[in-house]
Amino acid sequence: MESPLECLVSQDVRLLTLAGHVGLDSLPQQLVNKSLARDFCFNILCVGETGIGKSTLMNTLFNTVLETGEGSHFESCVRLRPRTYCLQECNVHLRLTVVEAGFGDQMDKDCRPIVDYVDEQLERYLQEELKLQRCLRDYRDTRVHVCLYFIAPTGHSLKAVDLVTMKQLDSKVNIIPIIAKADTLTKSELPEFKGRILSELEQNGVRIYQFPTDDEAVAEVNACMNAQLPFAVVGSTECVQVGGQLLRGRQYPWGVVQVDNESHCDFVKLREMLICVNMEDLREQTHCRHYELYRRQKLLDMGWQDDSWQEAHRKELQAEMRRNEKLMRQVFARRAREVEMQVKEKERELSERFEDLKRILQEEKAKVEEKRRQLEEDKNAFNHRRAAVEAMQLELKLTSFPFFRNSGCSYIYRVLIS
């Protein structure tokens, strides 16, 4: 793994040496001061059967008494009881939200209320982030940062309902499986039970939270703690006299189980990993992994797409556009040829029609000329006949006089009209 200095050199970053004190070393303290000015928030979801010790473990974990009501075994469905507390240690203020869900001992073993609650908190943050005027700095984050899943110490195997529930939650929240009331198992039974749990989780594809090993400062201890999962814990707020000291533990007829003794249970390991070492990583994993996955799916459902999808979709649309353009050109060329053939056919038909009309016109014109000539001949013949008739009428008029019959005028008249 490359050091930060080697990474800078590989990125061609110029390294300069300061000639005196500038104040860059105060940047971490500035971040600490800003963080202390604001309250930290941490939200824990406790899932397990009623009476398995969820409230007791929370009280033991934070060394205080969290006011929680006892759950009933006669609930018809799963009820979630979120409660928020303000804790202070030195100058650090923590807003702690503990959500207890008694699950597994009801008639209706549907885990949908738990999944819906986790989704609802993610949705609230998403809606705040999508506002035009958002103020995430002052927003009270209610997203579940870790789910402590309490497993009954049966010593045999996980219940089917536990596997189904964790499978539906592993993509939405960081799951840390816990074997509750581990003092009921012997030292030989406990390792076998842990191995059986991990094997069943792996076979069913359930992903539990793994403590990060990429930070050199905590890589060794986190790798060691990953091998201890699931943690076998015992919770108790009562103090028992042991060797002249008051220690938290549980008194039995055969002896005392000490909560803070690592040889008795894994409570100390759980507290160290959950609060002292990896609390900020749990918050970061919730935001960068689970919330981003939920946000991406929601935006995809709303029709938003990421840049890579848009680029691929744009290329696909361009290829489809080119195919459509080529197809349209082919269709246009074929249509143009069909129209051209239709135009030529129409031109041929019009030309034939024109020739037919021209021929008909010439025939009609010849007929008209013939009729005109015949009419002229008839007219001339009619004029000759009329002149002859008029001459005969005139001759009849003239011959009706006696003196005209025997005179030479009759002969002269005949000569003139002839």
Side-chain angles (χ1 to χ4, degrees):
M1 184 176 180
E2 293 184 353
S3 63
L5 182 60
E6 293 175 347
C7 293
L8 291 177
V9 172
S10 63
Q11 296 175 3
D12 296 332
V13 178
R14 297 179 61 189
L15 301 178
L16 302 179
T17 303
L18 301 179
H21 181 264
V22 177
L24 299 180
D25 55 353
S26 64
L27 286 176
Q29 188 61 37
Q30 294 179 32
L31 294 177
V32 171
N33 294 336
K34 290 185 65 175
S35 299
L36 290 176
R38 301 193 304 267
D39 292 344
F40 294 91
C41 68
F42 192 61
N43 306 318
I44 303 176
L45 173 63
C46 299
V47 180
E49 297 177 1
T50 304
I52 203 170
K54 299 185 292 297
S55 301
T56 302
L57 182 64
M58 289 297 101
N59 293 335
T60 310
L61 192 63
F62 293 98
N63 198 21
T64 185
V65 178
L66 304 177
E67 298 177 359
T68 58
E70 293 184 359
S72 173
H73 289 275
F74 302 100
E75 297 288 348
S76 59
C77 60
V78 179
R79 283 186 54 227
L80 286 87
R81 300 183 298 275
R83 289 181 174 83
T84 302
Y85 312 93
C86 293
L87 306 180
Q88 179 179 358
E89 186 176 14
C90 298
N91 295 327
V92 179
H93 296 266
L94 176 66
R95 182 181 293 272
L96 174 67
T97 299
V98 178
V99 185
E100 294 186 3
F103 175 72
D105 52 351
Q106 297 86 6
M107 293 296 294
D108 184 5
K109 298 183 183 297
D110 186 11
C111 63
R112 177 51 53 185
I114 302 175
V115 178
D116 290 343
Y117 177 82
V118 176
D119 286 340
E120 182 182 354
Q121 310 316 310
L122 296 173
E123 180 65 23
R124 289 180 57 183
Y125 192 91
L126 176 62
Q127 293 302 323
E128 180 68 24
E129 193 177 48
L130 293 178
K131 289 182 179 179
L132 292 177
Q133 295 182 349
R134 57 184 182 177
C135 187
L136 296 177
R137 176 187 176 90
D138 300 329
Y139 175 74
R140 179 182 171 186
D141 189 5
T142 59
R143 294 173 297 178
V144 178
H145 298 126
V146 62
C147 172
L148 299 180
Y149 199 94
F150 288 73
I151 301 172
T154 61
H156 299 292
S157 60
L158 287 173
K159 298 179 182 179
V161 66
D162 294 332
L163 291 172
V164 172
T165 304
M166 283 192 280
K167 182 60 179 177
Q168 295 191 23
L169 287 173
D170 65 353
S171 62
K172 302 176 183 295
V173 67
N174 302 309
I175 299 178
I176 298 180
I178 293 175
I179 301 175
K181 297 183 178 180
D183 52 346
T184 61
L185 298 173
T186 64
K187 284 194 174 183
S188 60
E189 293 175 343
L190 187 57
E192 295 179 1
F193 190 40
K194 284 187 176 184
R196 194 175 295 115
I197 291 174
L198 293 178
S199 176
E200 291 182 355
L201 292 177
E202 183 178 358
Q203 290 175 4
N204 291 273
V206 179
R207 294 172 297 176
I208 62 176
Y209 175 75
Q210 295 290 321
F211 301 116
T213 57
D214 51 354
D215 188 356
E216 296 181 356
V218 295
E220 184 177 355
V221 62
N222 279 345
C224 181
M225 290 298 103
N226 284 329
Q228 300 294 324
L229 290 173
F231 293 127
V233 298
V234 176
S236 176
T237 57
E238 299 178 359
C239 292
V240 181
Q241 188 80 19
V242 178
Q245 296 181 351
L246 286 177
L247 301 176
R248 291 189 303 178
R250 302 182 68 88
Q251 180 73 52
Y252 293 98
W254 43 262
V256 177
V257 176
Q258 301 177 23
V259 172
D260 297 310
N261 190 335
E262 294 189 30
S263 62
H264 290 187
C265 67
D266 297 332
F267 172 78
V268 175
K269 299 175 183 177
L270 173 64
R271 183 184 60 192
E272 292 294 321
M273 292 298 99
L274 186 64
I275 300 176
C276 301
V277 179
N278 298 301
M279 178 182 285
E280 185 58 31
D281 184 75
L282 288 167
R283 288 154 44 93
E284 183 179 350
Q285 286 291 325
T286 299
H287 181 79
C288 298
R289 179 186 170 190
H290 301 294
Y291 170 71
E292 286 299 326
L293 180 62
Y294 177 85
R295 173 179 173 273
R296 179 176 180 272
Q297 186 59 46
K298 276 291 184 179
L299 294 182
L300 289 176
D301 295 340
M302 294 168 59
W304 293 20
Q305 305 293 345
D306 55 5
D307 295 339
S308 60
W309 187 93
Q310 290 180 354
E311 182 66 20
H313 187 58
R314 184 180 65 84
K315 293 181 179 179
E316 182 180 354
L317 289 179
Q318 288 181 346
E320 184 178 0
M321 184 177 64
R322 287 193 292 267
R323 290 194 299 269
N324 292 337
E325 183 180 358
K326 182 179 180 180
L327 181 61
M328 290 179 62
R329 286 180 177 178
Q330 295 176 355
V331 172
F332 178 78
R334 185 174 66 253
R335 185 60 181 168
R337 289 194 297 269
E338 293 177 356
V339 171
E340 184 178 3
M341 293 176 62
Q342 293 177 359
V343 170
K344 290 183 178 180
E345 183 67 20
K346 290 294 183 182
E347 289 180 351
R348 186 184 62 79
E349 293 178 357
L350 290 176
S351 178
E352 293 177 355
R353 182 63 178 169
F354 176 75
E355 294 295 332
D356 293 341
L357 293 177
K358 185 177 179 181
R359 180 178 52 79
I360 294 173
L361 179 62
Q362 291 177 353
E363 292 177 355
E364 293 295 331
K365 186 176 180 181
K367 291 180 179 179
V368 170
E369 291 294 332
E370 180 65 23
K371 289 183 178 180
R372 180 182 297 173
R373 186 183 59 79
Q374 186 68 31
L375 184 60
E376 289 293 334
E377 292 178 356
D378 293 344
K379 181 180 178 181
N380 293 333
F382 175 76
N383 289 333
H384 283 292
R385 287 196 297 270
R386 188 180 62 178
V389 171
E390 289 178 353
M392 291 176 63
Q393 291 178 352
L394 181 59
E395 182 180 1
L396 290 174
K397 288 181 180 181
L398 292 176
T399 56
S400 62
F401 298 100
F403 70 90
F404 185 74
R405 298 173 184 168
N406 297 322
S407 63
C409 295
S410 175
Y411 173 76
I412 296 172
Y413 174 75
R414 291 190 187 95
V415 172
L416 290 174
I417 65 177
S418 62

